[in-house]
Amino acid sequence: MDTLTAKPVQEHYSFFQGVERNFDKAAQYTRFEPGILQQIKACNSVYSMRFPVRIGDQIEVIEAYRVQHSHHRLPCKGGIRYSMDVNQDEVMALASLMTYKCALVSVPFGGAKGGIKINPKKYSAFELEKITRRYASELIKKNFIGPGIDVPAPDYGTGSREMSWIADTYASMKPGDVDSLACITGKPVSQGGVRGRTEATGLGIFYGIRELLNVQEDMDKLGLPLGVEGKKVIVQGLGNVGYHAAKFFFDNGAIIVGLAEYEGGIYNANGLDIYKVVDFRKETGSILNYPGATNFTNSKDTLECECDILIPAALENVINGENAGRIKAKIVGEGANGPLTPDADEILAKKGVIVVPDMYLNAGGVTVSYFEWLKNLSHVRFGRMDKRFAENQYGSILHTVEGLTGKRVTDIERKQLLHGPDEVDLVYSGLEDTMITSYHEIREAYLNLNRSVDMRTAAFTVAINKVGGSYEELGIFP
Ligand code: GLU
């Protein structure tokens, strides 16, 4: 077992029970009667499946799941992961986090999650395609996928390639469905994906932490200066989420002091160049022995090094009752889903560490998935209708201003000023606005509770209020 996925020292509750425990902690601060809370908390549909796939000259029986946690808004939404750690409890926990995540960032979906219990590294692309297409047809057979039913996306161990196989399987089994591309998000741009989806989760993490770093009062409490510039950051996980988070921090002047992957970790108090580390890993197969850095053969030791911000962006339960006491970061930003156990939360809260919760911080992925779904349903690229119109408008404004002032802007300034929005500009701007707005909604809830709870509990109250409110609006309880 690699050290990034290390299972927790036995805490007395499962991952799903941990999420329920966090929910209960927050529910007491909301206005809903117990029955409504019970309904919000429960997983609505759990589909556990076993299907055979011929691998080489043998038949393997594959264990897989799709859990729809909440139908209060449709479609349901959430990724599909490929990992040997997949089990029903994990998928239920992750599906429920998706409900709260979507509610927090006002993405109008119920939460879901899928998982296939395989180690994707063990299979060829051909075998993975067979497994993925078979999983997709199992979902289609049971009506567990569709643009208005349930819309999966990438998660740990999957990416745009798997999404395109699923989109193709769906389209071939639903001939003539003009909206079929909207059955899944995270597709390659050439196959109905949206620009900006790949980096969305990492970018959302950056926007979320940047918002916290810009609040004077909170920075004073932590004894940190305002802003991203110069902050020391450790990132665990160099997959899609961790890599992009590290890249955006690095590009915006933060110092990446530590990086951890399954093979081990590296630390350099003077900073690591994320691009060079990634190139080094491509060449040597490992981040270990990167010039000038200290090696940690036990990856988890890297998390305990000196830094301002720690971003666990791999799998769940990596910071738990055993190691939380040794964490030195002042801010922990949950890039992964569930990287902290409830025990870790308590220990970090006592130490005065601000934990920015997963259901908010990694919501950038599903936010941009929402944009992709909208693009697929509207059958038009964002910016296609208005880019040139906007450029012409900016041109006439500039022309008028230059005429009135008698001054001319430089060619570089002209290019910038006349730039109409492309798809990626609109996606980034929609994501930035979402992360900023949601951050302040959570902070307001936190202040309304007189800072007596942590940010996760405050976030849960916001999410519960939104989900509970929509049940009331729908009149589901006669
Ligand atoms: N798997 C991602 C998550 O956990 C994205 C989900 C989605 O885009 O639907 O948030």
Side-chain angles (χ1 to χ4, degrees):
M1 186 171 65
D2 65 57
T3 48
L4 275 186
T5 62
K7 286 280 127 188
V9 260
Q10 271 317 301
E11 286 179 10
H12 24 276
Y13 28 71
S14 69
F15 186 15
F16 182 61
Q17 286 167 337
V19 176
E20 287 193 311
R21 199 173 117 144
N22 288 330
F23 178 101
D24 292 339
K25 227 162 111 185
Q28 57 180 308
Y29 302 109
T30 68
R31 66 192 154 84
F32 301 104
E33 60 181 87
I36 293 191
L37 292 170
Q38 207 48 46
Q39 170 57 26
I40 298 174
K41 208 163 67 163
C43 281
N44 291 175
S45 309
V46 180
Y47 178 21
S48 161
M49 64 198 100
R50 304 287 182 277
F51 53 79
V53 178
R54 184 176 289 283
I55 303 292
D57 54 8
Q58 283 188 341
I59 290 175
E60 269 187 42
V61 179
I62 307 284
E63 177 182 336
Y65 302 89
R66 183 73 184 171
V67 173
Q68 296 172 350
H69 172 258
S70 178
H71 295 145
H72 75 290
R73 291 260 191 266
L74 289 171
C76 299
K77 189 86 189 80
I80 299 171
R81 64 171 52 187
Y82 290 0
S83 148
M84 282 310 286
D85 289 332
V86 163
N87 59 62
Q88 186 172 317
D89 181 88
E90 181 194 62
V91 184
M92 285 168 67
L94 293 166
S96 55
L97 282 174
M98 284 307 301
T99 295
Y100 310 126
K101 187 186 298 192
C102 290
L104 269 180
V105 289
S106 299
V107 163
F109 298 144
K113 202 75 164 199
I116 305 187
K117 186 174 178 180
I118 52 167
N119 172 4
K121 294 200 180 90
K122 236 188 69 186
Y123 298 93
S124 66
F126 174 69
E127 291 162 347
L128 280 174
E129 180 171 351
K130 276 217 290 193
I131 297 170
T132 306
R133 286 186 182 272
R134 178 65 195 250
Y135 176 72
S137 34
E138 293 297 323
L139 295 179
I140 297 166
K141 277 196 277 183
K142 290 281 188 298
N143 222 9
F144 256 69
I145 183 172
I149 298 169
D150 187 347
V151 180
D155 199 84
Y156 188 85
T158 59
S160 58
R161 180 183 64 168
E162 286 72 17
M163 302 306 111
S164 69
W165 291 333
I166 295 175
D168 184 61
T169 308
Y170 186 86
S172 64
M173 288 174 80
K174 303 270 177 183
D177 180 349
V178 71
D179 290 329
S180 70
L181 276 178
C183 77
I184 196 148
T185 60
K187 300 177 291 292
V189 174
S190 59
Q191 284 166 65
V194 74
R195 289 162 187 81
R197 175 63 183 85
T198 309
E199 64 273 36
T201 311
L203 181 58
I205 291 171
F206 169 74
Y207 285 146
I209 298 285
R210 186 190 65 183
E211 215 40 38
L212 162 67
L213 296 173
N214 284 336
V215 178
Q216 184 79 57
E217 203 184 339
D218 295 346
M219 288 307 100
D220 287 349
K221 280 215 161 67
L222 293 178
L224 289 173
L226 276 184
V228 171
E229 187 106 23
K231 292 288 179 304
K232 298 194 164 187
V233 182
I234 295 178
V235 178
Q236 183 214 25
L238 275 178
N240 179 44
V241 177
Y243 166 70
H244 282 107
K247 175 186 129 52
F248 286 111
F249 274 105
F250 181 79
D251 290 345
N252 284 277
I255 305 167
I256 306 296
V257 290
L259 291 167
E261 251 298 341
Y262 64 87
E263 69 266 21
I266 51 173
Y267 184 85
N268 183 343
N270 298 319
L272 300 158
D273 182 320
I274 177 74
Y275 297 100
K276 289 189 181 153
V277 173
V278 168
D279 285 347
F280 179 84
R281 188 167 189 243
K282 268 191 202 131
E283 270 163 39
T284 67
S286 169
I287 52 174
L288 289 172
N289 302 321
Y290 180 74
T294 307
N295 283 331
F296 291 100
T297 42
N298 182 353
S299 173
K300 283 183 91 185
D301 291 345
T302 326
L303 312 185
E304 297 168 21
C305 291
E306 204 70 55
C307 67
D308 301 315
I309 303 164
L310 171 63
I311 315 249
L315 283 180
E316 54 264 20
N317 295 331
V318 285
I319 303 175
N320 46 53
E322 192 273 317
N323 61 354
R326 299 192 296 273
I327 298 295
K328 298 194 185 63
K330 294 185 171 169
I331 297 168
V332 176
E334 292 187 311
N337 290 306
L340 270 61
T341 64
D343 282 3
D345 263 349
E346 272 166 37
I347 296 169
L348 294 177
K350 278 193 197 117
K351 282 159 62 105
V353 175
I354 295 187
V355 174
V356 187
D358 48 5
M359 49 201 257
Y360 159 69
L361 197 64
N362 67 29
V366 76
T367 302
V368 176
S369 275
Y370 171 44
F371 301 156
E372 180 175 333
W373 183 75
L374 292 173
K375 173 184 181 179
N376 295 150
L377 292 178
S378 58
H379 301 270
V380 64
R381 185 186 74 237
F382 291 113
R384 177 163 179 185
M385 300 297 286
D386 38 6
K387 179 178 163 71
R388 191 156 302 271
F389 180 79
E391 287 178 350
N392 290 339
Q393 290 286 92
Y394 303 152
S396 352
I397 296 169
L398 187 59
H399 182 73
T400 310
V401 173
E402 284 182 334
L404 288 172
T405 58
K407 288 184 185 150
R408 275 183 68 79
V409 298
T410 66
D411 284 349
I412 295 174
E413 286 167 339
R414 180 171 308 278
K415 214 173 149 204
Q416 279 169 357
L417 288 169
L418 298 196
H419 175 77
D422 285 316
E423 181 165 87
V424 72
D425 301 318
L426 293 166
V427 164
Y428 276 25
S429 142
L431 174 60
E432 184 175 14
D433 188 59
T434 302
M435 294 309 292
I436 293 175
T437 309
S438 304
Y439 182 81
H440 290 286
E441 267 178 34
I442 299 170
R443 189 164 189 275
E444 207 172 292
Y446 172 69
L447 296 181
N448 287 339
L449 292 167
N450 301 320
R451 299 176 185 271
S452 58
V453 298
D454 55 18
M455 243 177 115
R456 188 188 314 282
T457 308
F460 259 103
T461 64
V462 175
I464 295 170
N465 282 331
K466 288 193 188 179
V467 180
S470 63
Y471 271 124
E472 286 175 339
E473 278 164 31
L474 290 169
I476 277 176
F477 304 105

